Amino acid sequence: MTPANLAEAVLAAAHAVFDRRGLDHSVLPESVPLERPRNPEHGDYASTIALQLSKRVGLPPRELAAALAEELARTPGIKSVDIAGPGFLNLRLDPAAAGQLAREVVQAGQAYGRSERLTGQRVDLEFVSANPTGPIHLGHTRWAAVGDSLRRILAAAGAEVTSEHYVNDAGAQIDRFGQSLYAAAKGEPTPEEGYAGEYVSEIAERIVAERPDLRDLPAEAAVPVFRDRGYQLMLDEMRASLERFGVHFDVWFSERTLHSSGAIEHALGRLREQGHVYDADGAIWLRTTDFGDDKDRVLIRSNGELTYFAADSAYYIDKRERGFDKCVYLLGADHHGYVNRLRAIAACAGDDPDFNIEILIGQLVNLVRDGQPVRLSKRAGNIITLDEIVDAVGVDAARYSLARSSTDSPLTLDIDEITKNSNDNPVHYVRYAHARIASLLRRAVDLGISRGDAFDPGLLSHEKENDLLKSLGEFPGVVATAAELREPHRIARYLEELAGSYHRFNDACQVLPLGRQPVSEQLTQARLWLVEATRIVLANGLALLGVSAPEQM
């Protein structure tokens, strides 16, 4: 029996009690949360439903709890129900009902953990969105890991998700990039506010190899070529780095298209229709202060020049007109000032900023080795690149380590710690649990032992088996919560707890008939089902983080 099944049983019992007593069903919740007591002696699960409903129906909590306990005691699969304190319900499952979960997990396979919690939601998830003027760096890498994990988790919870990378390919920074490439090709110093680093020289050399005549052209003719070709080469490199990291974007959205397609003019017209655009001092403004922004924002300057804010407004409206219910932005720590202005755009467009737009801010990441900050990149100058991180620690260690902490907090990654083969290293600990299971299953095949098509779930009655089953049962709820709260780190922390439950089970419960005490064929089969169920959940959880589940280590 899964926690979801048990929660449904508690709610059904509440309806039955309300029927018998003529109570108002409208006060009953749609779902019943269950908790796992810290002390196993208090039961497998606990519910506070009697405490929550007692005042609404005018009954003492313990009286309502007693009626619910009597009803639940007749429910198949529930071994006992005790009342504790002022009206807590402590529930114990029958071993056969608990063990049945192993069958459900194995039969569901890769689908176990998925739900329909967010079915019907169309989500645009924008993350990374690095300027195409340099390599993907450490700060982007955190959002690459977190954003791609969140994409997978939202999809697992039933949402229709589009991952999107906004390419800032219009404006002064692209022009400065072209000028920097031209200077590098000519062997001249980097222009003021230009881009430096070996990568600039590398790209310049590639462009000159394609067009040897560029060095001889005047700047006004050569710079646009360097700019456009350099931008494309940089974008290709960014795509390759992200794909290597396991991150694929469904949409690479070009800022230039907002200008060329008339999307900005369309957006300004819509905002004006909503009554939030006004003219002052020769410029055109959006009255964002009506919706929490600290000042109104200029859309078109007095010289006729469009602002970045005009593009941001058009981009949001474009997303909504593409049919997305929720536009989720994952931004870096230096973008706190964007939160209110982006929410104000949504409100000015006639949307609900508490529903249609979400802005998540991620804190900084530092990289250390031997207790010292990792030196800056030779190739990129003043940054550490994604490719260098992958070269140093590997995709799995980087993705897991970046995703396992809340993005609200700054993060320091120790290269020595996240690459060592030790149980002190969380990514190793979790992946080793999967590899340990794979090894056990290979030994079973070598011994000619199969788990068969059926097993007796009642045989899974050992304390450590029960703990492991309860951990497996929590996975769908963890995935759904991680999706709703936009917190991929919940998956990593769950996997670490599950790995611990498996290691303790493996140490206490002999699975195969080798060494120690003889094990009956029936018990071996039952435990092989439990082991396979654990392997599936570990693999499914790691897949949500974009981390591989190894067969051996």
Side-chain angles (χ1 to χ4, degrees), residues 484-497:
E484 290 179 329
L485 298 180
R486 319 308 195 215
E487 294 181 343
H489 70 271
R490 289 176 177 267
I491 303 294
R493 299 310 172 105
Y494 164 81
L495 290 174
E496 290 161 31
E497 293 178 4

Side-chain angles (χ1 to χ4, degrees), residues 181-182 184-186 201-216 225-226 229 233:
L181 292 170
Y182 177 69
K186 297 279 285 184
S201 298
E202 291 172 5
I203 293 174
E205 289 173 6
R206 290 176 63 183
I207 296 172
V208 170
E210 296 173 355
R211 287 280 308 274
D213 62 311
L214 285 176
R215 283 198 180 100
D216 301 324
V225 178
F226 276 105
R229 183 57 180 148
L233 290 172

Side-chain angles (χ1 to χ4, degrees), residues 407-454:
T407 55
D408 292 338
S409 303
L411 178 63
T412 296
L413 293 185
D414 187 319
I415 289 178
D416 299 318
E417 291 296 319
I418 66 176
T419 56
K420 68 180 181 181
N421 295 328
S422 164
N423 285 342
D424 294 332
N425 175 11
V427 63
H428 173 83
Y429 188 63
V430 172
R431 297 175 76 239
Y432 174 63
H434 187 275
R436 191 178 188 187
I437 290 173
S439 175
L440 185 151
L441 295 175
R442 287 194 298 271
R443 292 203 309 272
V445 171
D446 292 341
L447 293 169
I449 298 173
S450 167
R451 70 169 188 271
D453 297 327

